[in-house]
């Protein structure tokens, strides 16, 4: 499977990578089998979070004996330095490892205040100093916050919702210009997109954007493994699928930014 470089981290991660939020919905044995299938299929990057209930525990069960062969990122929703570091210690215990490759601040509503010594940003700095993470990043559902974070030059990666019905090509380009690794969450738009070939082909246009497919079933995983094996590219036929999806689905996709709240309807 082809790999892409996550910006300045130098990490080479597979073009199909694994978003581990959905595995919290299945039992441990099924999750481990699914993760091993992904690993055997060549996938080397797995993204999780402290907030994803037992997702980290399942990753730890699956990969504790092959930790050096994979890339793991996790996230903390902590609002202070102390909370983020406490979350990280819990994550490391659940993942059965002594470090994560990328530690991310989870869905930040604003870029952390550098004037505040208790800011969660300084937890990332401290975790890296202690060797508990190799690189640092942020995830956000808010476009303006994502742009601001990239422009600070402080973060190695950005995770943001991107799919072929919400392309965000200029944000991907901004990350490329700043050597920030781009991790694409919601690459299937929360399940709205059902054509794996079109979803896969869309990301072939962006050498610096890595989708983390939210996978819960073996048949879902197999579709993306097949796309890689077949070398699927963006054909006129798949462009038509993408255009149809954009016309029918674009207005239904929720990035989770919260801008519409409180709901006036």
């Amino acid at each position: 499977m082809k790999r892409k470089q996550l910006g300045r981290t130098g990490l080479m991660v597979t073009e199909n990578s694994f978003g581990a939020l959905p595995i919290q919905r299945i039992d441990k044995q099924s999750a481990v089998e699914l993760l091993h299938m992904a690993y055997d299929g060549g996938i080397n990057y797995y993204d999780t979070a402290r907030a994803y209930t037992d997702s980290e525990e399942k990753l730890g069960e699956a990969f504790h004996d092959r930790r050096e062969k994979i890339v793991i990122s996790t996230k903390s929703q902590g609002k202070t330095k102390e909370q983020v570091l406490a979350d990280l210690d819990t994550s490391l215990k659940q993942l059965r490892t002594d470090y994560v490759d990328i530690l991310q601040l989870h869905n930040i509503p604003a870029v952390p205040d550098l004037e505040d010594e208790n800011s969660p940003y300084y937890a990332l700095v401290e975790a890296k100093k202690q060797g508990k993470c190799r690189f640092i990043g942020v995830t956000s559902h808010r476009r303006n916050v994502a742009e601001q974070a990239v422009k600070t030059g402080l973060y190695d990666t950005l995770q943001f919702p991107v799919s072929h019905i919400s392309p965000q090509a200029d944000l991907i380009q901004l990350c490329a210009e700043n050597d920030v690794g781009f991790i694409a969450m919601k690459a299937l738009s929360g399940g709205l997109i059902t054509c794996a070939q079109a979803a896969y082909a869309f990301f072939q246009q962006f050498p610096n954007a890595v989708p983390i497919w939210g996978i819960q079933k073996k048949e879902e995983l197999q579709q993306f493994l097949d796309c890689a094996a077949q070398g699927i590219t963006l054909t006129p036929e798949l462009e038509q699928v993408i255009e149809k999806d954009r016309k029918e689905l674009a207005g239904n996709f929720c990035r989770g930014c919260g801008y519409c709240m409180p709901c006036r309807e």
Side-chain angles (χ1 to χ4, degrees), residues 89-110:
D89 284 341
T90 302
S91 293
L92 295 177
K93 181 178 179 181
Q94 295 297 318
L95 289 165
R96 296 166 69 174
T97 183
D98 56 6
Y99 74 98
V100 291
D101 296 281
I102 309 169
L103 177 60
Q104 305 159 100
L105 301 180
H106 196 168
N107 191 16
I108 57 172

Side-chain angles (χ1 to χ4, degrees), residues 162-164 167 197-206 234 242 246:
V162 171
S163 68
H164 65 243
Q197 292 83 1
Y200 174 91
F202 168 77
F203 282 99
Q204 295 300 301
Q205 304 172 93
F206 305 105
L234 195 57
I242 288 173
R246 286 176 178 168

